[in-house]
Amino acid sequence: MSNLSHVIILRLNFDFFKGEGSSLACVTDGPSAPPVSTPSLDPSHPYYDVARHGIIQVSGDDHYGRKLIVFSSCCLPPSHQLNHRRLLEYLKFTLDQYVEMDYILVYFHYGLRSSNKPSLKWLREAYSEFDRKYKKNLKALYVVHPTNFIRIVWNLFKPLISHKFGRKLTYVNYLAELREHLNYEQLFIPPEVLRHDEELRATQKGGPPPSVKTPPPRPPLPTQQFGVSLQYIREKNREAVIPPVMTQTVTYLKEKGLRTEGLFRRSARVQLIKEVQKLYNLGKPVNFEQIGDVHVPAVILKTFLRELPEPLLTFRVYSQVQELLRESHVESSLRVTRCKQIVESLPEHNFIVAKYLLCFLHQVSQESIINKMSPSNLACVFGVNLVWPRHGSISLTALTPINIFAELLIEHVHTVFGSRCPPAQVMP
């Protein structure tokens, strides 16, 4: 790309970040402007000065297993209260944990104005420092509540931006539209953005805000596999302890995928995943051998876990995990012992299914020299699919203990699950 193109795109980014016409409910110009509440943030966090504002959040996965990263403009304090160089470093620090897997960016534009927008110099630094490793696995960029000016400028300079990147951009006028693409319940949305969206919908044709509630779900099919409880699947599948989706995906991946680099980090074609889910829900056979892509069963396994009405490790475990790692000085061996206590308190069915899954993930980690999926990397993928809160989304600060907990389960699976042995026929 020519230097002229670089300058033009920088200008585009600068105008994009100007936030023309935006009001800002959550930012004040006073010196004591409080940051957005970020639960349980440790002051010893290396980027505490930036992280405490809640500008960047990791909100679980989308429908197809891709990590969701949220940037909220309304959380940016006035420029004189934030070191934008530190913001850039923190953004890279966050992305570095996920850029090796497919990920999604959600940009909430509302709340950006002249007093808190980054400078042109900052944008130039950001442009030069975000190399290909940050771009290649970005699968979609959702710009929420875009202004008309953003659309005009983007269209004006579209010929100068790579066609491949251009296809990743989606404008989202109302939050309800995100439900088509993302796990909306997991998404971290600032209250200011929610209020702004409600005001936008209220002014739509001068009428009242249309309801954003989803219609009541249809009764599940007898053959349903996704979005129903473990108990339901067991009752409808001749008392099979391990759900068929799990046995079939795990069996295939053990045979064909253990030495696949980046297993569970890559997504698959969205339409293909939908088709496979439909086959399972209709009780029809799924032939992964015929599909011939190990990333398909990998995504199906993650999707199955994520769509359970209650997480595999139950809602109750969420608060226990947060407490488990609150004391940073606790020795690793004591943490493993506490993990064992937590897991042993699970209902028997959940314990058996969890042991089946974690033994398999431990097996995957044993091939990490080749597949690059260490217990830590697997935990980043599976943590949010094993544990989530009953209400609300998982904040970036809450994500860290979840990932560490999942890593301990994978690395020390035989110690953690050793005392309660599932029947031999369900061992992986």
Side-chain angles (χ1 to χ4, degrees):
M1 186 179 291
S2 68
N3 290 335
L4 176 61
S5 298
H6 280 191
V7 172
I8 291 175
I9 292 175
L10 278 171
R11 184 70 233 177
L12 165 63
N13 287 339
F14 179 67
D15 289 332
F16 180 88
F17 277 104
K18 280 175 68 176
E20 67 296 331
S22 296
S23 60
L24 188 59
C26 69
V27 173
T28 65
D29 291 322
S32 60
V36 171
S37 175
T38 307
S40 307
L41 182 60
D42 185 350
S44 65
H45 188 288
Y47 292 96
Y48 176 80
D49 56 318
V50 180
R52 68 192 183 98
H53 295 289
I55 302 163
I56 302 164
Q57 297 286 347
V58 179
S59 296
D61 298 348
D62 73 351
H63 291 318
Y64 308 102
R66 301 173 295 193
K67 198 63 62 179
L68 285 172
I69 299 175
V70 176
F71 188 103
S72 301
S73 294
C74 70
C75 297
L76 282 166
S79 295
H80 67 276
Q81 295 181 14
L82 180 68
N83 182 329
H84 285 142
R85 179 66 207 175
R86 292 277 293 167
L87 173 61
L88 177 57
E89 292 173 359
Y90 177 53
L91 181 57
K92 292 174 67 176
F93 171 81
T94 303
L95 291 178
D96 279 341
Q97 302 172 59
Y98 304 104
V99 292
E100 294 303 321
M101 64 183 82
D102 295 341
Y103 70 103
I104 306 294
L105 281 178
V106 179
Y107 169 67
F108 290 122
H109 180 63
Y110 172 74
L112 203 67
R113 62 178 186 180
S114 58
S115 64
N116 71 339
K117 66 175 174 60
S119 68
L120 181 59
K121 179 182 177 182
W122 185 88
L123 290 167
R124 188 179 292 112
E125 290 176 355
Y127 188 86
S128 62
E129 291 189 26
F130 280 91
D131 54 26
R132 185 175 179 273
K133 83 169 185 176
Y134 296 98
K135 300 169 186 173
K136 65 177 181 178
N137 290 330
L138 173 63
K139 297 304 175 183
L141 167 61
Y142 296 100
V143 177
V144 184
H145 300 141
T147 59
N148 288 332
F149 188 74
I150 286 178
R151 298 172 187 270
I152 292 170
V153 173
W154 177 266
N155 287 330
L156 184 63
F157 295 111
K158 205 170 184 179
L160 299 172
I161 298 170
S162 77
H163 178 65
K164 191 173 182 180
F165 182 80
R167 288 184 300 175
K168 298 177 181 181
L169 174 68
T170 300
Y171 292 125
V172 178
N173 295 312
Y174 303 100
L175 291 174
E177 298 170 20
L178 285 175
R179 294 182 185 274
E180 302 173 20
H181 310 283
L182 311 174
N183 188 337
Y184 186 84
E185 283 66 35
Q186 282 192 6
L187 199 60
F188 183 89
I189 305 176
E192 293 80 7
V193 173
L194 291 170
R195 285 196 295 270
H196 177 65
D197 188 76
E198 193 171 310
E199 291 168 1
L200 286 177
R201 290 185 291 110
T203 59
Q204 190 180 40
K205 297 182 180 179
S211 172
V212 295
K213 292 182 179 179
T214 54
R218 297 177 181 177
L221 298 168
T223 52
Q224 191 93 11
Q225 297 285 304
F226 291 84
V228 293
S229 69
L230 293 176
Q231 184 61 31
Y232 183 89
I233 297 172
R234 183 172 183 170
E235 291 172 356
K236 302 297 182 181
N237 289 272
R238 301 178 182 178
E239 293 299 313
V241 179
I242 306 298
V245 172
M246 293 187 68
T247 56
Q248 291 169 23
T249 53
V250 167
T251 299
Y252 183 84
L253 290 170
K254 285 170 63 179
E255 294 176 357
K256 305 288 185 178
L258 290 181
R259 298 169 75 86
T260 299
E261 184 174 337
L263 184 66
F264 295 116
R265 279 185 157 178
R266 298 286 175 262
S267 56
R269 278 198 306 115
V270 169
Q271 191 55 43
L272 180 56
I273 297 301
K274 289 180 178 178
E275 291 170 3
V276 173
Q277 284 185 274
K278 185 176 181 180
L279 288 174
Y280 270 120
N281 285 337
L282 293 175
K284 295 182 178 180
V286 174
N287 189 336
F288 289 121
E289 192 72 49
Q290 190 174 16
I291 294 171
D293 180 359
V294 295
H295 297 298
V296 172
V299 171
I300 287 293
L301 177 59
K302 291 189 296 180
T303 303
F304 172 80
L305 294 169
R306 189 167 51 255
E307 293 191 4
L308 288 170
E310 181 174 17
L312 177 58
L313 298 183
T314 72
F315 289 123
R316 180 176 53 81
V317 164
Y318 179 80
S319 60
Q320 294 177 321
V321 170
Q322 299 302 314
E323 291 295 328
L324 170 68
L325 300 170
R326 194 149 300 190
E327 300 292 336
S328 59
H329 62 273
V330 174
E331 293 181 11
S332 177
S333 60
L334 294 178
R335 286 181 173 176
V336 173
T337 300
R338 181 63 183 129
C339 288
K340 180 180 174 69
Q341 293 170 347
I342 292 172
V343 166
E344 287 179 343
S345 69
L346 290 172
E348 183 178 10
H349 192 188
N350 295 71
F351 178 91
I352 292 172
V353 176
K355 180 168 185 175
Y356 178 83
L357 174 68
L358 271 300
C359 283
F360 165 63
L361 295 181
H362 179 78
Q363 192 173 350
V364 173
S365 73
Q366 296 296 97
E367 301 286 347
S368 62
I369 293 177
I370 296 170
N371 63 31
K372 311 300 183 187
M373 297 307 292
S374 63
S376 176
N377 288 339
L378 286 167
C380 285
V381 175
F382 277 92
V384 292
N385 295 320
L386 295 173
V387 184
W388 63 81
R390 187 182 298 274
H391 304 292
S393 59
I394 301 174
S395 70
L396 184 53
T397 50
L399 190 63
T400 300
I402 289 174
N403 288 349
I404 294 175
F405 176 66
E407 181 180 355
L408 290 171
L409 297 186
I410 295 169
E411 188 170 359
H412 303 279
V413 62
H414 300 300
T415 300
V416 172
F417 288 88
S419 61
R420 282 175 59 180
C421 296
Q425 66 267 25
V426 302
M427 289 295 290

